[in-house]
Structures are given as C-alpha cells and as structure tokens.
Amino acid sequence: MSFTADVKYQICQEELEQSDAKVQLCALFLMKGSVHINWQGMYLSFQSENATIAKYVFRLFKSMYQVNPRLSILKKMQLKKNNIYRIQVYEKANEILEDLQILTETGLHTYPSMKMIRSDKKARAFLSGCFLGSGSINDPKTTNYHLEMSTTDENFANVIVKALERFYIPSKITVRKNNYVVYVKAGEKIEDFLRLCNASKALMDFVEARSLRDFYNSMSRLDNCALANEVKTIKAGKKQLKYIEILEQNKNKVKINEKIQRVMEIRKKFPEASLNELCDEVYLAYGEVISKSGMKHRLNKIKEMAMEFMEEEP
C-alpha cells in the first residue's frame, strides 16, 4: 500500500458525526461525483479507483439517506488496467443534492458553500473529504515533500486554499492538464495536514521518516563542509610549501627569524596539517605556545617575504 493509500484508509476508519460526514461527502461528491438524468429521472454517480473510498462513500449514502446504492466494478482497459468502482444512487437524488447544498434555488454548484465549512470542525471534514477525492502525498522517504489536491473548478481550488489557511497551512495553485492543483511543499505543514485529518499512524510514520531524512541530510552537509575545509587546507599547504621553497632558495638574501624558521620546518614536515595542528606540532617540537591567529600571522609573513622574490622572477 502506498503512503497516500494508507492515509486515505486511516481517514475512512474515523467515525464522524453526521453533520461532519455530510461536509466530507459533499467534498467527495463535488470532486468525483456526477449528476445524470434518464427516462426515470435524476440519479447520482460516484466513482473511484480506490476500493476503500468506494466502500466508504457507499456506506455514507446508505446510512445518511437510507437509500440502496448500486455498486459495480469496471475494468479500465488502458495503462494500468485498474478496477474502477462505481456507485449509483437512484433514490432521493434531489433530496441528497439539496442536503449537501450542491443543488439550490440558483441551480447546481461546482464548489461548496463557505457557510457549510464555517467552523474549524467542518473545515477539517471538508479538507479530509477533498484529500479522499483527489489527494496525494509523496512518501516521506523520497526526495521531496509534496501534498496536493486537484479539481477542475478554480473556485473550488480557492476554497481549499482558504480552508488550509485557517489552519496556518500555506498552499499554492498550479494548473496541470486543465486541473487546478492545490499543493503544499513544507514537510512540517504536511504533518499539520495529517494531524487535522486525524491520520495519526501516517503522521507518526511521516514524522519518523522526515526526522531520519533530515538527520542524514544534516550529516551529509557536515561531511561536505568538512571535506571542503580539508581541500582548502591542502591547497593552502601546497602554496605555503611553495613560498618556503622560494625563501630557502634565496636564504642568503633574506633574514628569517627563529620563530618564522620554526613554522617553516613544521610546515615541511606536516604539509596537510591545519592551523590548529601546526600550533600543536610547534609546541611538541619547540615547547612554544602559539595561537591560531599567531600561526596565521607567521604564515602570512612567509608569503609576504616570498612574494618579493617571485615578483623579481622574469
């Protein structure tokens, strides 16, 4: 089972109050449902490739409106050839649509009424319904964090964005294949979304995977930083050895004091040592305590003296 399927399974296991279940069903139907008319009158149709969601919607229609939905299973003939679960409701179609506030005196609506999701509790139910209808979350073990929900209606997408903002979850909208896709990229905000959907097990799995991934990323950054510093130290050491070589070639032309001479000898013995390591070696060899800044000063002095002879080279 994918991470997304696991989250949807957990949402479907939650027992909601009927008023909250109504909001959730409204979001689901607006995303995946349709209204049809035949010689018998109006009927409702809902379909999903997820068996758990199909059973859940079947149960909601049956328990909330005392109807007998019809469930059929179709075989998709293209690509993955997945099953498509179709639910059809031939009874009380008008009553159901009016109760869900999809059908009003002004006609059929393609996005939910803001009055319907006025409270935080109803907004939670709405968002969980939207996710069941068209949501997906990247597995947190993959390369990036990504939550998205899509709809064909721009107004619907804006309602989702506003509902997320209520819980301090910033999101953006992009258009993809005539769909308006609402997406969230921040890992901690996806955790907040799982929390508001009461998908506690998925939340724990996400937090654990995110913590491990962030830990390994931090370790990698530290390793890269250490490697960069090591490369920098080696390059500096090579340059300093070149300056020392020039001074030794011109030792009759320049006066080098004892302290500088000590650093030159230690650098030749330890060409890849860092400043701190050079300080330690000077102390071990000569008993002289020297600070890091003092060592840097002497190395700069070596460079300064060597540069005079380098400028004189033809």
Side-chain angles (χ1 to χ4, degrees), residues 286-308:
Y286 305 105
E288 179 190 359
V289 177
I290 179 172
S291 65
K292 184 178 176 181
S293 60
M295 178 60 69
K296 190 173 182 180
H297 173 74
R298 293 188 195 182
L299 290 170
N300 285 337
K301 186 64 177 177
I302 290 171
K303 176 183 177 182
E304 184 183 319
M305 291 189 293
M307 290 297 290
E308 294 181 7

Side-chain angles (χ1 to χ4, degrees), residues 252-267:
N252 296 327
K253 300 179 182 179
V254 62
K255 185 177 181 180
I256 302 173
N257 65 42
E258 184 180 3
K259 290 184 177 181
I260 297 293
Q261 190 67 49
R262 288 176 180 177
V263 171
M264 290 169 61
E265 292 300 321
I266 292 298
R267 173 50 92 192

Side-chain angles (χ1 to χ4, degrees), residues 216-276:
Y216 288 129
N217 285 345
S218 296
M219 291 298 292
S220 178
R221 284 194 292 271
L222 287 173
D223 289 343
N224 291 339
C225 183
L227 179 61
N229 287 337
E230 188 174 342
V231 170
K232 186 177 178 181
T233 297
I234 291 171
K235 286 183 177 179
K238 285 183 178 179
K239 288 182 179 179
Q240 290 156 8
L241 288 173
K242 178 65 177 176
Y243 300 145
I244 291 169
E245 182 183 354
I246 292 172
L247 289 179
E248 290 180 339
Q249 290 171 353
N250 296 275
K251 58 184 178 182
N252 296 327
K253 300 179 182 179
V254 62
K255 185 177 181 180
I256 302 173
N257 65 42
E258 184 180 3
K259 290 184 177 181
I260 297 293
Q261 190 67 49
R262 288 176 180 177
V263 171
M264 290 169 61
E265 292 300 321
I266 292 298
R267 173 50 92 192
K268 286 192 294 182
K269 288 182 181 179
F270 303 97
E272 296 180 1
S274 66
L275 290 177
N276 286 328

